[in-house]
Amino acid sequence: MPHTDTPQTYRVKSFGCQMNVYDGERMAELLAEQGLTAAADGDAADLVVLNTCHIREKAVEKVYSDIGRIVKDATEEGGSAPLIAVAGCVAQAEGEEIMARAPAVKMVVGPQAYHRLPDMLKAATSGARVTDTDMPADAKFAALPKRRRAGPTAFLTVQEGCDKFCTYCVVPYTRGAEISRPHADLIEEAHRLIEAGAREITLLGQNVNAWTGENAKGQTIGLDGLIRELAAIPDLRRIRYTTSHPNDMTEGLIAAHGEVEKLMPFLHLPVQSGSNRILRAMNRSHDADSYLRILERVRAARPDIALSGDFIVGFPGETEADFADTLSLVDAVGYAQCFSFKYSPRPGTPAATMDDQISAEVMDDRLKRLQDALNRHQLAFNQASLGRACDVLVERHGRHEGQWLGKSPWLQSVHFMAENGVTPAIGDILRVELVQAGPNSLAGRILG
Ligand code: 5AD
Ligand code: SF4
């Protein structure tokens, strides 16, 4: 397809966090509104949007190699290359460089500017190459189409950006300053998602628990107030939220975990390190003890809560003693699941130029030891669930005939067979007994 033809089909490929998944869905909705249709799996698309992530290593290299592969695949059999748009956080951070280095890219669009994709597309189909990396986000949401499609589990971005400036992190630079979307818009979007079939909504934000807004009575509320209001919508069965910062874990939000039945017993609360010295160097503004005290209060409100976190190993200056503090914290918490990463210097962040960067070998070794510990805890958590009866939200078919997959309240993957006279359907919430536990999933039996 020559570039000056209007594209008929699109593909959005999202990398990285759940907010990118949300943004990818919104870009797809925008393109659909312009009359484009999603390319079928395996088919070439006329327009490819690479919705990129810049949080860790090799992000930029990956984008260039993806672009190269897309062009090669499309042109190998005499076809023409698709229109390529680079979106997301790499676009924000490296837009000019991408335009200079990759002639195949016709559009570069930042995470706060993608509502302008339709206009950019018009310009690109007239032969122009366009970049839009404007901030901030407030105009974006209002300009997006209404939600019309949703699976049983849906994401809803309530807050974007970050003012915390952890010294390793690019988010404050790529996503911009913290903004909370207005309450009324969120209630409206939640209703639309539920009408479209969502049974569970995960509220998203880089600092989701910093969300604040004004309710219909003009009162200022926090995330707990929003959760309570959403919980009153009858067809919404489950609510989750991610990612939280320890400093914004308010009393009200902790209490909601004990009081709001639809709020699932799961909390993702990154700590990053167990060493107070490293936490200070990371500018985390909490220490290991204050973090553990928050978890104690959450557990007092909701004793069965499943805890999750993020860790970075090999932050500049991290000694073996600092790392031992991280392992102690992991054992003290007993996480249900976690994400763990090797520190990756991000251009423009303060930590990238700190002394005492840690060697790759040391990082590999620490990451392995940390992951061994985390896996041990994850398996123990899953094993402790055995014999429990719980609700499972059915999300999709399994790999085997008659097998189904869903999630427990504690966000564990559960697989089970259609039996006991029950024919599951996607979106059902079934009573299931957990009968077998592995490190990454559990087997369940429908209880009728
Ligand atoms: N290097 C490694 N991990 C990082 N994260 C954020 N920035 C970096 C970095 N420069 C991790 C943190 C954060 C998660 C989303 O990604 O653990 O919580
Ligand atoms: Fe990045 Fe820290 Fe903000 Fe999380 S709180 S997005 S790690 S700067």
Side-chain angles (χ1 to χ4, degrees):
M1 189 202 73
H3 289 137
T4 43
D5 284 359
T6 306
Q8 307 291 315
T9 59
Y10 70 88
R11 171 168 296 119
V12 179
K13 288 177 72 177
S14 288
F15 304 89
C17 66
Q18 290 158 322
M19 194 172 289
N20 261 15
V21 175
Y22 175 90
D23 290 342
E25 286 170 5
R26 309 290 333 244
M27 285 190 258
E29 289 164 355
L30 263 177
L31 296 171
E33 212 188 38
Q34 301 300 303
L36 281 79
T37 50
D41 277 353
D43 284 1
D46 301 334
L47 166 67
V48 177
V49 181
L50 295 174
N51 188 22
T52 59
C53 169
H54 202 222
I55 197 109
R56 282 175 297 274
E57 281 174 296
K58 309 223 165 68
V60 185
E61 290 80 346
K62 193 172 161 10
V63 175
Y64 289 116
S65 74
D66 279 350
I67 294 166
R69 199 169 19 78
I70 292 167
V71 173
K72 182 164 171 281
D73 288 352
T75 51
E76 226 163 26
E77 283 160 19
S80 54
L83 258 180
I84 298 178
V86 178
C89 291
V90 176
Q92 189 67 38
E94 307 272 342
E96 277 175 34
E97 174 82 13
I98 293 171
M99 275 299 190
R101 262 183 66 181
V105 174
K106 305 300 174 199
M107 291 178 273
V108 163
V109 59
Q112 309 309 3
Y114 65 75
H115 55 294
R116 296 201 280 253
L117 257 181
D119 287 341
M120 296 176 76
L121 189 57
K122 278 197 200 99
T125 46
S126 331
R129 298 178 78 211
V130 268
T131 299
D132 192 340
T133 48
D134 267 6
M135 295 215 194
D138 38 10
K140 174 176 72 185
F141 293 102
L144 293 172
K146 302 249 184 274
R147 312 303 306 269
R148 290 205 183 84
R149 275 180 304 170
T153 62
F155 292 133
L156 172 51
T157 293
V158 302
Q159 178 281 335
E160 251 199 282
C162 183
D163 296 338
K164 299 278 192 296
F165 289 93
C166 299
T167 53
Y168 50 81
C169 188
V170 284
V171 166
Y173 312 95
T174 58
R175 290 269 168 182
E178 214 169 277
I179 63 118
S180 289
R181 290 183 63 194
H183 166 270
D185 296 4
L186 298 175
I187 299 291
E188 138 101 16
E189 192 170 327
H191 276 289
R192 298 251 172 195
L193 289 169
I194 297 161
E195 280 159 23
R199 292 291 160 265
E200 172 181 292
I201 291 183
T202 301
L203 307 176
L204 294 182
Q206 270 90 27
N207 263 294
V208 70
N209 56 342
W211 181 85
T212 171
E214 206 175 274
N215 68 12
K217 293 186 193 136
Q219 297 155 329
T220 299
I221 58 169
L223 188 69
D224 54 311
L226 181 64
I227 288 171
R228 285 175 195 274
E229 214 170 305
L230 293 174
I233 305 175
D235 287 340
L236 179 61
R237 307 286 297 277
R238 291 178 158 192
I239 302 168
R240 302 181 185 275
Y241 63 95
T242 199
T243 288
S244 298
H245 191 284
N247 282 15
D248 298 311
M249 251 358 259
T250 60
E251 281 306 326
L253 187 55
I254 293 174
H257 274 285
E259 293 164 8
V260 180
E261 215 183 313
K262 291 182 183 176
L263 179 58
M264 291 294 102
F266 187 94
L267 174 63
H268 180 65
L269 194 65
V271 62
Q272 315 296 356
S273 167
S275 154
N276 290 338
R277 209 177 63 82
I278 294 297
L279 288 170
R280 261 195 310 279
M282 287 177 162
N283 191 33
R284 285 291 296 180
S285 62
H286 60 80
D287 60 21
D289 270 350
S290 61
Y291 175 81
L292 290 172
R293 280 200 303 277
I294 295 167
L295 296 189
E296 264 169 35
R297 279 158 46 217
V298 178
R299 272 193 167 133
R302 181 77 207 222
D304 70 336
I305 195 139
L307 296 169
S308 159
D310 290 344
F311 288 90
I312 297 175
V313 299
F315 184 83
E318 185 188 68
T319 63
E320 193 50 35
D322 294 317
F323 179 63
D325 288 343
T326 297
L327 292 179
S328 308
L329 181 137
V330 165
D331 286 339
V333 174
Y335 288 99
Q337 61 166 64
C338 272
F339 299 98
S340 49
F341 312 102
K342 289 187 271 190
Y343 168 72
S344 159
R346 303 286 76 208
T349 59
T353 50
M354 284 181 187
D355 291 340
D356 216 358
Q357 301 279 327
I358 305 298
S359 73
E361 295 72 39
V362 170
M363 281 206 237
D364 285 338
D365 173 63
R366 288 185 189 158
L367 186 67
K368 178 166 186 323
R369 283 151 66 203
L370 174 60
Q371 292 187 338
D372 286 347
L374 293 171
N375 290 340
R376 217 173 0 92
H377 285 290
Q378 184 167 329
L379 181 61
F381 183 87
N382 288 346
Q383 284 170 339
S385 323
L386 285 182
R388 262 178 180 169
C390 68
D391 288 342
V392 169
L393 172 58
V394 183
E395 292 182 6
R396 56 194 166 94
H397 292 279
R399 250 183 300 148
H400 307 290
E401 179 76 34
Q403 191 192 45
W404 293 82
L405 300 179
K407 292 269 167 39
S408 77
W410 307 282
L411 207 64
Q412 297 151 301
S413 289
V414 180
H415 53 90
F416 53 93
M417 302 301 289
E419 57 182 349
N420 281 342
V422 178
T423 313
I426 290 170
D428 281 354
I429 294 188
L430 300 177
R431 204 68 193 154
V432 167
E433 183 190 355
L434 302 173
V435 295
Q436 219 184 333
N440 298 314
S441 66
L442 292 114
R445 185 171 298 139
I446 300 180
L447 289 174

